[in-house]
Amino acid sequence: MTQTDSHDNFSFSNLDVVSVGKSARSLPDLVAEQLIKAIEQGSLPQGQRLKEERLAERFGVSRSTIREAIAVLERKGIVDRTPRQGAKVVTISANEIEEIFLLRAQLIGLAANLFALKASADQIQDFCKYTHKIQLLADNPKTSPIEYAGASIAAQSMLIDFAHQKRLRNIYEELGNAALWQSVIRRRAISFATQERRQESADDWKRVESAVVERSPTRAEDCAKTLLLNSYRAVRSSIHSEN
């Protein structure tokens, strides 16, 4: 007897999609994009099996289009394929979330070190504008977690881009763009759910700024790592409280 997957009971009726088969843009990439949105919104939960026939019917496209879309998701690390079971949405564990934060902390630390060491006066001034905006957002009780997260991500990107290290940038972006990580962390911005937490983060950015202005690479590296690790602690606390 074939073992029934516990996730097979999921109903695709609650999958909010557009019938791309009726659109001129009915491409595998468009289907993949909608599947990613469904994953981020929780309509397709972690561990969910992706059945080609049911998805083809739901999206109004051929099964070959669905296969290509799933292949796109597989290349992005969003789904796994296993023999005789097909494709499933990958499951991200608390350990994986921790690993992503720890890796990103090391990379942003290296980038901050290089920035403090080699950035021009104008580049440092531009960076200070980022941290000033972050502080203003943190001080405003009406700032949303998503808005604050966007400013923080922009400041991180400036440090990463300055390093001019292609592999460093690619790895950092790959970690940050992991769809399931985004759904748990970035899309909900749970690192910055409260104003108190946003103010703590802004203080961390001020410490990074101070180290950069003082041209202290080692301190800039340590402060940047601390900034990411404090975000992880906030995420960990939020996840534990939800469970």
Side-chain angles (χ1 to χ4, degrees), residues 14 143 169 177 200 235:
N14 62 343
T143 297
R169 184 176 64 252
N177 290 332
E200 289 173 352
V235 168

Side-chain angles (χ1 to χ4, degrees), residues 32-100:
E33 179 182 316
Q34 292 200 40
L35 287 172
I36 289 173
K37 288 180 180 179
I39 291 169
E40 291 172 348
Q41 294 166 358
S43 297
L44 286 174
Q46 299 180 35
Q48 171 62 45
R49 178 181 289 183
L50 302 180
K51 293 187 175 181
E52 293 177 7
E53 184 176 358
R54 296 173 70 185
L55 286 173
E57 180 181 355
R58 188 64 177 162
F59 282 96
V61 297
S62 66
R63 290 184 64 175
S64 62
T65 298
I66 294 297
R67 279 194 292 271
E68 292 180 50
I70 290 175
V72 172
L73 301 186
E74 186 177 19
R75 288 193 294 272
K76 291 178 177 291
I78 299 170
V79 304
D80 283 332
R81 289 181 188 267
T82 55
R84 293 186 294 277
Q85 292 188 4
K88 292 182 180 180
V89 179
V90 299
T91 299
I92 187 167
S93 67
N95 288 339
E96 288 174 296
I97 293 173
E98 179 181 18
E99 182 180 20
I100 289 173

Side-chain angles (χ1 to χ4, degrees), residues 97-105 181 185 228 231-232 235:
I97 293 173
E98 179 181 18
E99 182 180 20
I100 289 173
F101 268 106
L102 292 178
L103 289 172
R104 284 169 62 86
W181 186 81
I185 310 301
L228 262 290
S231 285
Y232 167 65
V235 168

Side-chain angles (χ1 to χ4, degrees), residues 70-241:
I70 290 175
V72 172
L73 301 186
E74 186 177 19
R75 288 193 294 272
K76 291 178 177 291
I78 299 170
V79 304
D80 283 332
R81 289 181 188 267
T82 55
R84 293 186 294 277
Q85 292 188 4
K88 292 182 180 180
V89 179
V90 299
T91 299
I92 187 167
S93 67
N95 288 339
E96 288 174 296
I97 293 173
E98 179 181 18
E99 182 180 20
I100 289 173
F101 268 106
L102 292 178
L103 289 172
R104 284 169 62 86
Q106 294 301 316
L107 294 175
I108 197 67
L110 174 59
N113 182 304
L114 293 171
F115 192 81
L117 187 65
K118 299 180 179 181
S120 68
D122 286 343
Q123 288 169 325
I124 290 177
Q125 185 176 11
D126 288 341
F127 177 69
C128 290
K129 292 178 182 177
Y130 276 97
T131 56
H132 179 65
K133 178 180 179 180
I134 287 172
Q135 186 65 62
L136 291 177
L137 289 171
D139 291 341
N140 186 350
K142 295 183 179 180
T143 297
S144 70
I146 295 293
E147 186 179 9
Y148 182 89
S152 181
I153 290 167
Q156 293 173 44
S157 296
M158 182 179 183
L159 294 178
I160 293 293
D161 290 343
F162 172 82
H164 299 301
Q165 302 290 328
K166 184 177 180 180
R167 291 185 179 179
L168 185 154
R169 184 176 64 252
N170 288 346
I171 294 172
Y172 196 79
E173 290 178 351
E174 182 179 349
L175 290 169
N177 290 332
L180 288 177
W181 186 81
Q182 283 203 49
S183 71
V184 175
I185 310 301
R186 182 170 293 179
R187 296 295 183 186
R188 294 164 57 194
I190 60 176
S191 300
F192 313 114
T194 66
Q195 185 183 14
E196 180 183 8
R197 173 64 199 121
R198 294 191 288 275
Q199 289 174 330
E200 289 173 352
S201 172
D203 289 342
D204 286 339
W205 274 114
K206 289 298 291 184
R207 282 186 276 272
V208 176
E209 175 195 303
S210 175
V212 165
V213 170
E214 293 174 10
R215 297 285 188 178
S216 176
T218 300
R219 192 160 71 86
E221 179 172 353
D222 290 341
C223 289
K225 288 179 181 178
T226 297
L227 182 141
L228 262 290
L229 294 176
N230 284 342
S231 285
Y232 167 65
R233 293 186 185 99
V235 168
R236 182 180 59 189
S237 176
S238 177
I239 292 174
H240 286 172
S241 65

